[in-house]
Amino acid sequence: MKIMIKEKKDFPLKIKIGFKKVFDAYREKAEKSAIAKKQISEILALETDFPVLSSGIADFDKLSKYKEQIDIILEPLFPSVLGTNEIKFATIPFQEVAFKSTERYKKILKGVGEDFSMDIINFDENQFYIMGCNMILSHYYDKKVDFKRSFHYSIPDEQGMVKNYRIFYNADFVEIQKTAKSKDISEDDINELLESFEDISVWKEKFPPGSWVFNGFVIATLTDVTMDVSISEFKTNLLRLEKNGGFHNTDFSRIFRAIFNLKDLMIGFADYNEENESFERTLFNEISSFILNGEKSQASKEALCSASYYTLFKKKEFYCVTDAERYHKIYPENLLYKKMLDQGMKSAIFAAIVSKEKILGVLELVSPNANDLNTINANKLRDIMPFLIDSVVRSKENFENELELIIQQECTAIHSSVQWKFRKEAKRYLNSITEGNPTFFREIVFEDVHPLYGQTDIKGSSEARNEATKKDLKLQLTYIETALKKLCVHTPLPILEQMNFAITDYLEEIEENLQVDTERKIMDFLISEIVPFFKYIRERNETFKELVDEYYQLIDFSTGLVYKNRKDYDESVMLINKRLASVLDKKQQEAQKMYPHYFERFKTDGVEHNLYIGEAITKEKTFNKIFLNNLKLWQLQVICEMENNYYRFKDKLPVELDVASMILAFNGSLSLRFRMDEKRFDVDGTYNARYEVVKKRVDKAHIKDTEERITQPGKISIIYSQKEDEEEYLKYIRFLQYQKMLGEEIEILELEDLQGVTGLKALRVNVLYSKNTDKAKEYYTYEDLISQIQE
């Protein structure tokens, strides 16, 4: 009999261990069953012979005096056939008093020693007191105040491994008795108690310490819930892992040891990089990887043996090593077994973290003892792998987002006008993760926004690029042709004449019809014939060396081709883009102050820009259509300024190029969606996609029944489909004509039908260019500027 009374604490009940309720239960049973009557009569005789067993024993030191009688009374409640399996004992609430118990309970206590104190986890003195009050309300007043919560003991076993047990109390044999000190509890008192759980003084005022009597006992049953608690702790630690970005302040090692009941178990993790098919120390790098064995990175096929690689990567199953020492003797060349033994490990489970058929990493469980880890206990991982996989997926995403953040900071960024909505979604996502709810970063959508598109495109850029390519190829081949002729004079060889013949063919092809693969064919010819030949003759004599060195100075070594005219062209395009983009970016800052809107621009052969305005874009301001009209006028003004700015420095370019500007007017609103996979905004919906189709094709469109492109140098083309758009833009044009930004020449044109788009029209108006002299401002049309340049 184990009797350990805790330090005396306040409690609303005076405790007496009594068996009156048990005797009552036996009497009731005897009346119903003749078979049990004889055995029960012997038990009931004890009540007569030892009335204190019914009235209750207040002095627990006297319990041992009645041990034999108590054993007889409780024997039917503790059948010996179940004693080796059930963990059960007779006690009083929340105290270390066990006056009857099963063999398994005794075995558990024997393993921890005499000095071990069984304390309920997370159960303080105030809760202890309130639980006593709750027993009074339940048993005496029949008020079911729901204070039921799980009570747990943490008890180490013989190996020192902590086991977690859930306690279930059977209070059928409890009688609550009133005393002179007891206070009557009214409905108002109960209502006040329900509102005062945190205020212990209210409970003590209604139920003074020692004012009621507990007579009876409870039967406590322990259930081993180590696995369940470990999984719960595992999930909690996963949240901590994601919050901290690593294994700092987590208890994974202890949790896995509890799950597998192995005190020597250790954990590791190898992150897998799919791009280069290697294991890395990137994710969770604060814990070691037994696969990598100190290496920062290693190809997966080199880090694993063929069997483990096949099991993890092809079958995507657990790979178990039960006895590395025995296996290594059988397969001495197996690098995984050798690697384990080098680290003192003799058994292991390697579990692939798989999501959507992709390997994200490998969880490593290892032990220095053979057979500790095996194919049987490996199945315990199946209960926790889904949680681990979800966590690794999110951690991978967080890591990728950190990389994306750096990339965005360095290369591209979310526009300030919409950043608030991304932050809002990011907070929702983070809060959901912290609360343990599976989630994902939702797409950002802005409903009912008005789009504006414009471009200032380099006119004839493809033709100019082809012309530059032709000049470079001709320059290179002509020099080679001249060099070969000089070599023929010095050393006549038929092969040199054949090379010149090939060069002549290439020069004719360049002049007459430059094909897409012409440059590639010439490059192949140079690499296979000219380069080896020049390398050979350069070492023959000084004359040949000078010829070849002069050729080397002519070409770009990275490509092996002449890059002179194309360099001039590329530099011209770069300068044009920089100039136009700088004007647009500067003016954009001013426009944002008028009314916030989304803005993005792209540099291609010229500069394109998208504007989206609407109430959904802004966080606080109320949208009015006047702001849309204002932005349309601003866009037209800015394109006029971009045109002017370009023509002021056109004559400084290495290659003369023209630009042509266009605006696409869209009558109505659409939805704008941020594509998470492409990291860009795109219009949403099939009908709205028509807008994108027009954007991509309209600048190449012709005027109906002609071969003339709608976009022309010196003019701005405004594409539209609705009459009201025509009337609106005519008002803006008249205003800018008054401002001396646009000329008097206005054309209203019909466009040819595009694929899937019909009925488009265009307003085309000429731009006025100014020299911005100090004394006076002079205005010119495009034709005036061209004639001045030609003069």
Side-chain angles (χ1 to χ4, degrees), residues 23-160:
F23 291 136
D24 291 344
Y26 286 149
R27 266 190 290 272
E28 186 178 343
K29 188 175 181 181
E31 291 172 3
K32 294 179 181 179
S33 173
I35 299 172
K37 194 169 185 179
K38 183 179 179 183
Q39 180 188 2
I40 291 174
S41 63
E42 292 177 3
I43 296 173
L44 293 176
L46 295 174
E47 183 181 21
T48 306
D49 297 340
F50 304 95
V52 69
L53 293 177
S54 184
S55 60
I57 302 167
D59 185 355
F60 298 156
D61 290 335
K62 294 180 180 179
L63 273 177
S64 57
K65 180 180 176 182
Y66 304 101
K67 181 181 183 307
E68 184 181 344
Q69 291 77 16
I70 292 173
D71 284 344
I72 294 170
I73 295 167
L74 298 182
E75 181 61 31
L77 302 178
F78 288 81
S80 57
V81 291
L82 300 177
T84 56
N85 185 49
E86 289 187 338
I87 311 169
K88 193 162 70 171
F89 58 99
T91 183
I92 53 176
F94 323 119
Q95 288 281 356
E96 284 188 78
V97 177
F99 44 85
K100 179 71 175 176
S101 61
T102 61
E103 288 302 315
R104 189 174 175 193
Y105 175 77
K106 293 172 184 175
K107 186 178 178 182
I108 289 171
L109 289 191
K110 184 180 178 183
V112 299
E114 292 292 329
D115 297 330
F116 179 75
S117 177
M118 290 209 327
D119 293 314
I120 297 173
I121 299 171
N122 297 324
F123 194 65
D124 61 27
E125 291 185 16
N126 290 346
Q127 291 174 330
F128 171 71
Y129 196 96
I130 293 171
M131 276 299 293
C133 300
N134 187 50
M135 290 178 69
I136 299 168
L137 290 171
S138 175
H139 284 77
Y140 191 87
Y141 289 99
D142 199 27
K143 296 291 182 182
K144 304 300 179 185
V145 181
D146 189 7
F147 186 70
K148 288 184 180 178
R149 48 166 289 200
S150 298
F151 301 115
H152 292 82
Y153 284 140
S154 288
I155 306 173
D157 62 13
E158 293 175 349
Q159 299 179 43

Side-chain angles (χ1 to χ4, degrees), residues 6 11 13-17 60 89-97 99 120 123 128 131-132 135 139 151 153 167 169-171 173-174 176 214-220:
K6 290 184 182 291
F11 199 58
L13 294 156
K14 285 183 178 179
I15 303 294
K16 292 198 294 184
I17 296 174
F60 298 156
F89 58 99
T91 183
I92 53 176
F94 323 119
Q95 288 281 356
E96 284 188 78
V97 177
F99 44 85
I120 297 173
F123 194 65
F128 171 71
M131 276 299 293
M135 290 178 69
H139 284 77
F151 301 115
Y153 284 140
I167 315 159
Y169 286 113
N170 182 337
F173 307 110
V174 172
I176 302 296
F214 172 102
N215 185 18
F217 66 98
V218 295
I219 296 175

Side-chain angles (χ1 to χ4, degrees), residues 444-672:
I444 305 296
V445 181
F446 296 93
E447 305 280 355
D448 195 28
V449 295
H450 300 269
L452 290 85
Y453 171 77
Q455 69 172 41
T456 300
D457 192 38
I458 297 172
K459 201 70 177 167
S461 57
S462 299
E463 292 81 1
R465 186 184 290 108
N466 285 343
E467 190 60 32
T469 302
K470 287 167 69 173
K471 287 179 179 178
D472 282 343
L473 292 174
K474 284 167 67 177
L475 179 62
Q476 185 166 4
L477 292 174
T478 302
Y479 182 86
I480 295 170
E481 186 181 48
T482 305
L484 291 174
K485 285 177 180 178
K486 289 179 182 179
L487 291 169
C488 277
V489 173
H490 189 277
T491 309
L493 292 172
I495 192 66
L496 300 180
E497 292 179 12
Q498 186 274 329
M499 288 181 181
N500 258 335
F501 177 79
I503 289 170
T504 303
D505 278 349
Y506 284 128
L507 286 169
E508 287 177 6
E509 184 177 339
I510 292 166
E511 193 62 40
E512 292 172 10
N513 189 18
L514 182 69
Q515 298 294 321
V516 175
D517 66 338
T518 301
E519 186 175 353
R520 181 190 57 78
K521 289 193 296 183
I522 293 172
M523 190 67 191
D524 291 344
F525 167 74
L526 295 175
I527 291 170
S528 63
E529 297 190 38
I530 301 301
V531 172
F533 178 70
F534 274 10
K535 185 178 180 181
Y536 168 74
I537 64 169
R538 187 178 183 274
E539 298 170 359
R540 300 284 292 174
N541 62 48
E542 236 3 77
T543 306
F544 295 166
K545 183 177 182 296
E546 287 176 11
L547 277 172
V548 175
D549 286 348
E550 192 174 335
Y551 171 74
Y552 284 162
Q553 290 176 7
L554 192 68
I555 66 170
D556 180 274
F557 261 95
S558 62
T559 62
L561 296 169
V562 170
Y563 183 61
K564 181 180 180 299
N565 294 283
R566 277 172 292 186
K567 183 181 179 184
D568 290 343
Y569 169 81
D570 290 341
E571 189 174 341
S572 297
V573 171
M574 181 195 70
L575 290 170
I576 292 169
N577 284 344
K578 284 182 71 174
R579 186 89 173 202
L580 294 175
S582 67
V583 175
L584 184 58
D585 289 349
K586 184 178 179 182
K587 293 292 179 182
Q588 234 314 287
Q589 293 174 14
E590 299 171 7
Q592 288 292 339
K593 294 176 183 176
M594 300 177 197
Y595 191 87
H597 56 275
Y598 180 75
F599 164 75
E600 61 183 359
R601 63 156 173 78
F602 311 96
K603 292 179 184 178
T604 51
D605 286 351
V607 173
E608 302 173 44
H609 65 270
N610 285 312
L611 305 166
Y612 296 94
I613 188 170
E615 189 150 336
I617 297 287
T618 60
K619 188 178 181 181
E620 300 169 345
K621 293 194 175 183
T622 303
F623 177 74
N624 188 288
K625 206 165 184 180
I626 190 71
F627 296 114
L628 171 62
N629 299 338
N630 182 70
L631 196 60
K632 289 179 180 178
L633 177 59
W634 172 87
Q635 183 186 35
L636 190 53
Q637 284 177 309
V638 169
I639 287 180
C640 290
E641 292 189 38
M642 290 167 70
E643 287 265 355
N644 263 277
N645 205 294
Y646 167 69
Y647 280 104
R648 287 186 204 123
F649 91 117
K650 177 182 175 181
D651 55 347
K652 299 182 181 68
L653 294 171
V655 178
E656 271 194 23
L657 296 166
D658 284 319
V659 299
S661 297
M662 182 201 79
I663 289 172
L664 176 60
F666 184 80
N667 190 282
S669 62
L670 45 73
S671 294
L672 187 65

